[in-house]
Amino acid sequence: MELWRNFAVALALGLLIGLERGWQERAAAEGARIAGIRTFGLISLLGGVWALLAEQIGAVLLGFAFLAFTAAVIAAHVVESREHREYGITTEVAALLTFALGALAVLGHLAIAAAAAVVSVTLLGLKPVLHRWLQQLEEKELFAALKLLIISVVLLPVLPNRGFGPWDALNPYTIWWLVVLIATISFVGYFAIKITGPHIGIMLTSVFGGLASSTALTLDFARLGRHNPGIQRLLAAGVAVAAATMFPRVLLEVGVVNASLLPALVGPLATMTVVSYGMAGWVWYSSRGRKEQPQVELPNPFELLPALKFGALLVAVMLLSTAFQLWFGEVGVYFIAAVSGLSDVDAITLSLARLSRGALSDEVAVRAIVLAAMVNTAVKGLLVAGICGGAMMRRVGAIFAFTIAAGIAALMTG
């Protein structure tokens, strides 16, 4: 029964791939294509039969069978190319993969075979979407992706995973891993803005802008508000949404580094998120009749120099956090958290989350992270006041005041 089940799975996987290929080439006349749904089912069964024979005779037999099938596929491709002047090999590669998946299924690797088949069908079906994305891809975005892969896949594994420096506070692997984490979040935020576009609504743009850099978006919207007084209400809502998005981002970073802090941290940060989103939604709703929307100028999705600067900032924050904790106890941690929150909340969040796995208590780490988030929120309000002023300043100031007050209340009662 187990063998029959494996053959049934092999047949199902072949039919699944054949269904997608047959649908893509449904306009072709009967016999004008290399393989359809029936042929792919047979190919998968063929791979399964040869895998079963190889178990009885020798594994090398399966290799020779695959080579023979490959030769047949190549011959069919050559004939089709000559007749139709089409040189794509997607269907041919899918046929070879189907043979291998049928063999895997019969040999008992059902989960791997099924997962590979589903991923393959998804990739085959996404051809129009993937090609459209490729056409829209800019050179700077391609190089940004390559640089992100270099710092994560190439550099990260070779870094030593142990402490260096004063108090062994600096772990090169951990520091660079956190740099990769922040760079990835900004990278995802950049493409989220690009794919959705600002024209679908300032609120959605602000959510993605807050994921990439809420401070940068605040500066941009404050400048827009200074030159466009008529949309200051809408821009104020956007700034509040971007700032509120920082709180879930902090939870994400803490969850990745030290999930044990989340139960105590969720309360105050979730409260501030709800208050800020709620008040921003009300401000946006009250200005829904205005159709003018600001255009967001997207920065480079990834540059090495800002990543290195963030790494240096992270090193400084880690050293100062450890030093202030040892020298001044809890007061020192709160002080460095407040100072760090003036410019960046990510570095102190990641540093405290890491320290809380050792000598720093969870309670102090949670309070310091919330303090840094509150200070950073207040700084955004001051930026709006200094750059724009007017109605935008009043609305942003009111939202942030209620947000910080709600966070303090939640922290004290938690």
Side-chain angles (χ1 to χ4, degrees):
M1 291 301 298
E2 182 179 351
L3 183 59
W4 283 107
R5 179 200 63 185
N6 293 350
F7 267 104
V9 172
L11 176 61
L13 299 182
L15 293 175
L16 177 64
I17 297 176
L19 176 66
E20 192 283 332
R21 288 289 81 194
W23 188 85
Q24 290 286 352
E25 301 177 9
R26 62 191 182 279
E30 186 71 23
R33 55 185 178 228
I34 289 180
I37 183 170
R38 294 179 303 163
T39 307
F40 272 96
L42 292 173
I43 290 172
S44 187
L45 287 178
L46 180 64
V49 169
W50 278 108
L52 183 61
L53 290 173
E55 276 194 323
Q56 306 299 322
I57 301 174
V60 69
L61 181 63
L62 182 59
F64 282 117
F66 183 76
L67 289 176
F69 179 67
T70 302
V73 171
I74 292 174
H77 173 69
V78 171
V79 172
E80 185 183 41
S81 299
R82 288 176 177 175
E83 291 184 359
H84 303 287
R85 299 296 180 182
E86 295 180 358
Y87 302 101
I89 61 171
T90 303
T91 299
E92 289 77 1
V93 172
L96 297 177
L97 179 62
T98 302
F99 182 97
L101 294 179
L104 272 177
V106 170
L107 291 176
H109 304 288
L110 300 181
I112 295 176
V118 172
V119 172
S120 301
V121 171
T122 303
L123 286 176
L124 291 170
L126 286 177
K127 175 183 176 180
V129 177
L130 295 176
H131 283 193
R132 184 170 65 252
W133 287 358
L134 187 61
Q135 292 172 354
Q136 295 175 350
L137 187 66
E138 299 179 17
E139 182 181 16
K140 68 176 183 178
E141 296 165 351
L142 176 61
F143 284 115
L146 295 177
K147 286 186 282 188
L148 183 60
L149 289 174
I150 288 174
I151 71 168
S152 57
V153 178
V154 178
L155 293 180
L156 185 61
V158 302
L159 294 176
N161 190 7
R162 61 186 183 89
F164 290 91
W167 312 289
D168 288 335
L170 303 179
N171 184 312
Y173 180 88
T174 300
I175 292 171
W176 199 248
W177 183 83
L178 298 176
V179 170
V180 170
L181 174 63
I182 295 301
T184 302
I185 291 175
S186 297
F187 189 82
V188 172
Y190 170 91
F191 280 100
I193 298 173
K194 181 182 175 77
I195 291 171
T196 60
H199 295 292
I200 66 172
I202 185 61
M203 303 300 279
L204 187 59
T205 302
S206 299
V207 170
F208 291 131
L211 181 63
S213 174
S214 56
T215 301
L217 188 136
T218 299
L219 289 170
D220 187 53
F221 279 15
R223 295 189 189 100
L224 286 170
R226 184 177 60 189
H227 298 292
N228 300 275
I231 59 170
Q232 285 189 5
R233 182 190 297 268
L234 183 61
L235 292 171
V239 168
V241 168
T245 305
M246 174 187 67
F247 305 134
R249 191 180 73 210
V250 168
L251 290 175
L252 172 63
E253 293 166 0
V254 172
V256 173
V257 178
N258 185 5
S260 64
L261 294 180
L262 288 179
L265 198 58
V266 164
L269 290 186
T271 299
M272 288 193 288
T273 302
V274 171
V275 170
S276 192
Y277 276 150
M279 296 188 68
W282 178 80
V283 172
W284 171 80
Y285 182 79
S286 64
S287 62
R288 64 190 184 279
R290 304 176 183 270
K291 297 182 179 180
E292 183 180 0
Q293 293 183 5
Q295 300 292 320
V296 180
E297 182 179 351
L298 295 175
N300 194 311
F302 176 79
E303 293 181 354
L304 187 58
L305 184 58
L308 294 177
K309 289 181 178 179
F310 177 78
L313 175 63
L314 190 59
V315 168
V317 170
M318 283 183 171
L319 281 175
L320 290 175
S321 299
T322 304
F324 275 56
Q325 179 195 2
L326 294 174
W327 296 341
F328 306 110
E330 294 183 7
V331 176
V333 174
Y334 296 143
F335 175 76
I336 192 63
V339 173
S340 299
L342 292 173
S343 60
D344 181 85
V345 75
D346 296 312
I348 188 64
T349 295
L350 296 169
S351 178
L352 292 175
R354 177 176 169 270
L355 286 175
S356 64
R357 295 186 301 186
L360 185 65
S361 69
D362 289 356
E363 182 180 3
V364 174
V366 168
R367 289 180 176 176
I369 290 173
V370 174
L371 174 62
M374 291 178 178
V375 170
N376 193 262
T377 300
V379 167
K380 292 184 179 72
L382 293 175
L383 288 174
V384 172
I387 297 174
C388 181
M392 186 175 180
M393 175 192 69
R394 292 192 296 273
R395 288 177 175 83
V396 169
I399 293 173
F400 285 172
F402 278 103
T403 299
I404 293 174
I408 293 174
L411 187 63
M412 294 302 179
T413 58

